[in-house]
């Protein structure tokens, strides 16, 4: 097929929920890919943090191919080796105790919310159901996770929502305290607000919230959908803050390109779900778990240190650009605010020149594959800086 044929079919038959760029991927290897005209691109997006090992990683391809040739699916009424191994690795690397598998970040957050409500209501009664989330957060696009999301613009046209969410200002401990009541079951937050603009929480705020949760037996829920699986230079970003949440949600980079979500339970919540409380037909899919095990095996301390090094290399180079107002983020999760030019204009211009980047509100968002080579990093940086400078001179 040609690109024109693909585009015509898509625009005719696919629901218009995405403002697609004028691009279709034909194939890729590592952090480099090619369109249907043979043009080459450096990928600084990793499919919004999903392709943690880049395109067509040989070990990942071998593992998922072998699993597909063995069996693709069996119901969760039975045990499987790939799922059991993925759960073991997730717990060992995070300090959590149990895992529930779904298919996406939104599904993981739904599971986290259900578990928090069950824990609180079983212990304190039906009136303890509220969950405090942070203004500017993003937790998914289902009705309940949209309700949890602290962005008013996400709420337009979709009410009525699942009740029981209260919003507090990020990095404002007093505002959070003012929202706590006898109804509060949990506080839910991202350590770095990704879609909200790649904004890390203050360490002091996180410490105080953690202590507040411990004091009042309020569950601490951490959404690691975008920040997890090595993205920030830590296995999970909460480890940078030296805390241990009660429940963690995970997805995106976990499957290395295949859909998988996970809810991780800590000591206090490990036995919250009983048989029949929750489920997911495709959860713990053997092929997705085979891919996840390759990703998890790769995330050694040395690998994570290299993610931190490459993230610093990116920020050190970008901060020298005269058209950069500010840089935020952790590891290889970076937001860049331009002084001149909009993020949408810069993203479009980068694509024209062979670099795939993302927006996060008014910022340009960078989420390169964790395995990106220094040569690919430098090639992409050259394009990015050129576009920023052109926008500054316009």
């Amino acid at each position: 097929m040609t690109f024109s044929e693909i585009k015509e079919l898509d625009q005719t038959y696919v629901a218009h929920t995405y403002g697609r760029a004028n691009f279709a991927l034909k194939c890729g290897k590592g952090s480099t890919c090619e369109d249907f005209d043979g043009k080459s691109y450096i990928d600084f997006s990793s499919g919004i943090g999903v392709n943690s090992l880049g395109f067509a990683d040989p070990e990942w391809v071998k593992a998922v191919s072998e699993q597909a040739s063995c069996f693709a699916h069996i119901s969760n009424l039975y045990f499987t080796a790939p799922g059991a191994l993925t759960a073991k690795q997730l717990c060992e690397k995070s300090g959590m105790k149990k895992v529930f598998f779904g298919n996406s970040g939104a599904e993981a957050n739904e599971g986290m919310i259900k578990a928090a409500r069950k824990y609180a209501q079983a212990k304190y009664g039906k009136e303890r159901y509220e969950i405090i989330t942070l203004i500017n957060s993003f937790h998914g696009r289902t009705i309940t996770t949209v309700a949890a999301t602290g962005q008013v613009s996400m709420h337009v046209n979709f009410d009525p929502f699942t009740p029981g969410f209260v919003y507090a200002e990020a990095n404002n401990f007093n505002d959070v305290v003012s929202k706590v009541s006898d109804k509060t079951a949990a506080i839910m937050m991202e350590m770095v607000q990704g879609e909200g603009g790649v904004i890390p929480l203050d360490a002091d705020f996180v410490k105080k919230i953690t202590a507040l949760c411990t004091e009042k037996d309020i569950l601490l829920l951490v959404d690691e959908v975008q920040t997890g699986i090595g993205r920030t230079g830590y296995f999970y970003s909460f480890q940078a803050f030296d805390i241990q949440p009660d429940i963690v949600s995970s997805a995106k980079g976990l499957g290395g390109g295949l859909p998988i979500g996970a809810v991780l339970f800590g000591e206090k919540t490990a036995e919250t779900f009983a048989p029949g409380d929750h489920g997911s037909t495709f959860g713990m899919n053997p092929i997705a778990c085979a891919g996840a095990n390759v990703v998890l095996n790769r995330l050694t301390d040395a690998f994570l240190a290299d993610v931190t090094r490459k993230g610093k290399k990116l920020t050190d180079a970008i901060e020298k650009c005269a058209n950069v107002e500010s840089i935020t983020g952790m590891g290889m999760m970076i937001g860049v605010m331009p002084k001149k030019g909009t993020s949408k204009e810069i993203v479009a211009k980068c694509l024209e020149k062979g670099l795939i980047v993302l927006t996060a509100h008014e910022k340009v968002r960078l989420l390169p594959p964790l395995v990106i080579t220094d040569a690919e990093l430098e090639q992409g940086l050259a394009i990015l800086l050129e576009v920023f400078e052109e926008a500054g001179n316009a």
Side-chain angles (χ1 to χ4, degrees):
M1 294 180 74
T2 66
F3 173 61
S4 296
E5 290 170 336
I6 295 167
K7 185 175 178 181
E8 184 179 351
L9 283 175
D10 186 291
Q11 293 188 332
T12 302
Y13 295 110
V14 178
H16 296 162
T17 57
Y18 300 100
R20 297 201 202 284
N22 210 34
F23 168 82
L25 176 67
K26 184 176 184 183
C27 61
K29 186 72 180 172
S31 302
T32 304
C33 60
E34 187 178 302
D35 68 12
F36 278 74
D37 295 321
K39 181 179 173 181
S40 186
Y41 300 79
I42 298 295
D43 183 20
F44 274 15
S45 73
S46 63
I48 317 183
V50 169
N51 295 326
S52 44
L53 302 184
F55 299 108
D57 177 84
E59 187 185 357
W60 182 90
V61 170
K62 182 173 183 291
V64 300
S65 299
E66 287 179 354
Q67 183 58 47
S69 70
C70 187
F71 68 100
H73 173 79
I74 189 165
S75 85
N76 277 309
L77 297 175
Y78 310 102
F79 300 101
T80 71
L85 289 170
T86 304
K88 176 177 182 286
Q89 290 219 64
L90 282 170
C91 289
E92 289 179 348
K93 289 177 182 292
S94 67
M96 304 300 278
K97 303 300 179 188
K98 300 276 188 186
V99 180
F100 170 86
F101 288 107
N103 307 286
S104 68
E107 196 178 329
N109 282 333
E110 287 265 359
M112 183 158 70
I113 291 163
K114 278 184 70 176
R117 286 188 170 179
K118 187 184 177 195
Y119 173 90
Q121 292 186 24
K123 201 165 178 182
Y124 297 102
K126 284 288 184 186
E127 291 305 309
R128 188 141 164 169
Y129 62 87
E130 279 188 353
I131 295 175
I132 298 172
T133 67
L134 300 182
I135 293 170
N136 198 44
S137 60
F138 179 81
H139 297 296
R141 293 184 184 274
T142 65
I143 285 295
T144 296
T145 55
V146 166
T149 291
Q151 297 188 49
V152 175
S153 62
M154 297 280 182
H155 296 173
V156 179
N157 295 331
F158 300 115
D159 56 326
F161 294 108
T162 306
F165 292 96
V166 178
Y167 312 104
E169 291 181 20
N171 293 324
N172 185 338
F173 178 68
N174 290 334
D175 192 45
V176 175
V177 170
S178 74
K179 306 292 168 57
V180 172
S181 71
D182 291 341
K183 296 180 180 178
T184 306
I187 298 173
M188 177 175 176
M189 53 194 191
E190 305 155 283
M191 296 294 107
V192 183
Q193 293 187 331
E195 196 279 339
V198 198
I199 304 168
L201 296 182
D202 294 340
D204 183 58
F205 173 77
V206 173
K207 286 281 188 189
K208 285 180 176 176
I209 293 293
T210 305
L212 176 70
C213 287
T214 302
E215 176 194 338
K216 295 186 175 295
D217 195 20
I218 295 169
L219 295 181
L220 177 61
L221 317 183
V222 176
D223 178 342
E224 292 274 5
V225 169
Q226 188 170 144
T227 51
I229 316 298
R231 172 56 54 190
T232 64
Y234 294 83
F235 183 70
Y236 282 126
S237 63
F238 74 75
Q239 292 164 326
F241 295 83
D242 195 26
I243 62 168
Q244 192 68 40
D246 296 304
I247 312 180
V248 172
S249 62
S250 190
K252 284 192 182 291
L254 175 57
L258 288 171
I260 182 171
V263 187
L264 282 68
F265 301 95
E267 191 78 50
K268 203 154 71 170
T269 57
E271 305 301 330
T272 299
F273 277 154
D277 279 342
H278 199 42
S280 173
T281 298
F282 290 100
M284 210 169 83
N285 174 266
I287 298 175
C289 287
N293 278 317
V294 174
V295 173
L296 295 173
N297 283 333
R298 202 72 66 82
L299 296 182
T300 63
D301 289 345
F303 184 97
L304 294 173
D306 202 45
V307 171
T308 300
R309 179 190 67 80
K310 287 185 283 195
K312 186 174 186 307
K313 183 171 180 171
L314 273 169
T315 54
D316 285 351
I318 294 168
E319 69 183 5
K320 292 174 184 170
C321 177
N323 191 33
V324 170
E325 180 71 37
S326 63
I327 306 172
T328 54
M330 288 173 65
M332 284 208 285
M333 182 177 180
I334 297 167
V336 187
M337 176 78 85
K339 287 180 181 174
K340 291 181 68 178
T342 68
S343 58
K344 286 186 177 178
E345 291 167 347
I346 290 172
V347 167
K349 199 67 182 175
C350 283
L351 190 64
E352 279 181 30
K353 291 176 178 283
L355 176 67
I356 303 171
V357 293
L358 303 160
T359 61
H361 293 299
E362 67 274 24
K363 292 181 183 175
V364 175
R365 181 169 31 158
L366 311 178
L367 300 169
L370 304 182
V371 295
I372 192 167
T373 65
D374 282 89
E376 289 169 326
L377 204 64
E378 288 157 12
Q379 192 179 341
L381 260 173
I383 297 171
L384 183 73
L385 296 176
E386 181 182 322
V387 172
F388 262 83
E389 286 167 7
E390 286 176 358
N393 295 328

